Amino acid sequence: MSGTFVGMPAFPTAAREALADTQLRRNLAHATRTIRDKRAAVVAEVEGWEELRVAGAAVKEAALRDLATHLETLEASLVRAGATVHWARDAEEACAIVAGVARDHGADEVVKVKSMATAEIGLNEALEAEGIAAWETDLAELIVQLGDDLPSHILVPAIHRNRAEVREIFRRRMGDVGRPAPDDLTDEPSMLAGAAREHLRDKFLRAKVAVSGANFAVADTGTLVVVESEGNGRMCLTLPDVLVSVVGIEKVVATWSDLDPMLRLLPRSSTGERMNPYTSTWSGVTPGDGPQEVHVVLLDNGRTRALADDVGRQALRCIRCSACLNVCPVYERVGGHAYGSVYPGPIGAILNPLLNGVSDEQTASLPYASSLCGACFEVCPVRIDIPSVLVDQRAAVVDSHRGDRVPKPEAVVMKAAAWTFSDARRLRWAERASGVAGRVLGRFSRTTLPGGRTAAGRLPGPAAGWTGARDLPAPPPESFREWWDRTDGGHRPDDDQEGRS
């Protein structure tokens, strides 16, 4: 694995390769089923869960509709509390700000809280280029980092690995970058967690600079919020002298009370817990307690682009719970790497095109990485209508190719269909040709569909991909207009059984 998503193939190619990995499919099926079951159990305990979803969606939507005002309020609140606020238009600016803070303090390493935003901007790679090591402290992120791997899930980045694989990664790589794994390490979860804890402790104690993201940013109090399950985040947020938090501008909520529905929705939808084991909040600098220098980087990186999309803007309500991944039949079979981004699954299939556009072939393939079954919307705690956004993004992909000199095969077929349907004579000839084809295919087909219709079988050329997995009904021997003429609109008896379509 290259350690970067740059240059990843389009989804169909990557998915085909992933489907051939039987171990990956077993790992994914076991993990997603476990998380799904846990979520379902704790959600069932909440009376009025749907009302809570509506409340969560309303909080995020209200913040997005007046985002500029809330961001200015957040900045003022943070500055009053002693923090330094930076604005970053893109990944390059954000990485440069973090690297500059680390250099100003003579740091050659930083410890990190699990953060989707820093993964999105490629912060680890940017810091490495500056001679600064970035150590992941979340257990799953550590597994990915030590394995020179890529994250494949928003909540559980190493979901594609099983315990035996994790043990081998720890034994092989821990000693290269710090305290080695114990010689008697087994694949028992408690042993693996203990090895990670010992390995990371030295890094926590010597780090001068920590980097975090934020699950929420409260505008009126200037409070950043991180929720986690392991305690590593709490160590990063309290021990180092300097803290840099990279926060997407869509993370803002207006008031402290707005956290109420969010902190009830998030743990149940993500880890299947009633509440997060660790919820850390901080507002700027507190003399003598915690980091004495706090920087907050407010990140755009395509978010204002998404905000301008009337249909797609709802994707910015996402609280990164990953519930949509765990119920998605496509994700369960191909995993996260096939999406070519730190944001995989249904939410990634809409978020990546919204943030980056659809001019790139890989990104343009993502809106089609869905069966549109709607399971993602049913579990989304902030009611993002992912299927509707997927359809809208597919339209954006089609629109982006309208000016191509060489039209896509699909466009050629559609133009041919329009030419045929626009003239009654041409349509009649097409219907007759279709009837002949139906009779021929009916003689050779070995598949009978419900209702007595025959299937066309597997067709050659571009149609092979569709008919290889689906039963395509053979064209009826008689068209509707021919039947209408023969039976006088159904008023005459229809005795010709062979001519019925």
Side-chain angles (χ1 to χ4, degrees), residues 13-279:
T13 302
R16 191 175 298 113
E17 180 180 343
L19 284 170
D21 188 337
T22 55
Q23 182 62 58
L24 171 68
R25 295 181 66 176
R26 281 195 294 268
N27 294 350
L28 289 169
H30 172 73
T32 55
R33 182 173 59 252
T34 300
I35 300 172
R36 277 199 310 270
D37 292 346
K38 288 182 63 179
R39 175 199 170 276
V42 295
V43 164
E45 298 173 352
V46 181
E47 185 176 353
W49 174 255
E50 288 305 311
E51 289 77 8
L52 188 59
R53 290 178 70 207
V54 171
V59 165
K60 293 292 288 183
E61 190 63 27
L64 290 172
R65 290 193 178 279
D66 198 13
L67 185 59
T69 299
H70 295 313
L71 288 172
E72 291 173 355
T73 302
L74 174 65
E75 179 185 29
S77 300
L78 285 166
V79 170
R80 280 197 305 271
T84 301
V85 177
H86 310 262
W87 297 83
R89 287 174 294 187
D90 53 30
E92 184 178 358
E93 286 189 4
C95 290
I97 292 167
V98 179
V101 172
R103 282 197 308 269
D104 290 346
H105 292 83
D108 59 2
E109 64 178 357
V110 301
V111 289
K112 289 185 63 204
V113 185
K114 174 175 164 39
S115 162
M116 298 302 298
T118 59
E120 173 192 330
I121 64 177
L123 179 62
N124 289 11
E125 294 75 20
L127 291 178
E128 184 179 6
E130 297 285 340
I132 302 168
W135 304 118
E136 298 289 354
T137 64
D138 174 82
L139 177 57
E141 291 283 9
L142 176 65
I143 294 166
V144 169
Q145 185 175 46
L146 292 177
D148 293 322
D149 205 344
L150 289 169
S152 63
H153 192 276
I154 290 175
L155 177 68
V156 194
I159 195 172
H160 55 288
R161 298 289 193 183
N162 58 35
R163 296 187 306 179
E165 292 172 312
V166 173
R167 173 182 177 271
E168 289 307 309
I169 290 171
F170 280 9
R171 287 174 58 87
R172 187 176 69 252
R173 289 300 315 280
M174 273 187 169
D176 296 338
V177 294
R179 182 189 291 266
D183 294 335
D184 60 347
L185 181 66
T186 70
D187 64 359
E188 286 299 313
S190 59
M191 291 285 288
L192 295 172
R197 190 179 301 114
E198 293 296 325
H199 176 81
L200 290 170
R201 185 165 295 151
D202 294 339
K203 293 177 167 52
F204 285 133
L205 294 175
R206 69 170 184 257
K208 299 177 182 178
V209 179
V211 177
S212 81
N215 293 97
F216 307 102
V218 184
D220 67 347
T221 61
T223 304
L224 301 186
V225 182
V226 163
V227 296
E228 44 142 349
S229 299
E230 299 171 13
N232 59 291
R234 183 72 56 83
M235 300 283 276
C236 290
L237 298 171
T238 55
L239 289 178
D241 296 327
V242 181
L243 173 63
V244 186
S245 300
V246 181
V247 184
I249 57 175
E250 84 285 9
K251 296 296 184 181
V252 68
V253 296
T255 66
W256 181 264
S257 62
D258 286 339
L259 288 176
D260 174 31
M262 312 315 297
L263 293 180
R264 286 191 284 158
L265 287 164
L266 181 55
R268 286 179 166 84
S269 298
S270 56
T271 55
E273 297 171 296
R274 296 177 182 87
M275 64 180 292
N276 293 101
Y278 296 88
T279 299

Side-chain angles (χ1 to χ4, degrees), residues 50 53-57 314 317 377 379-386:
E50 288 305 311
R53 290 178 70 207
V54 171
Q314 60 185 295
R317 299 204 299 250
F377 172 68
V379 299
C380 177
V382 287
R383 294 178 56 84
I384 301 171
D385 189 355
I386 294 178

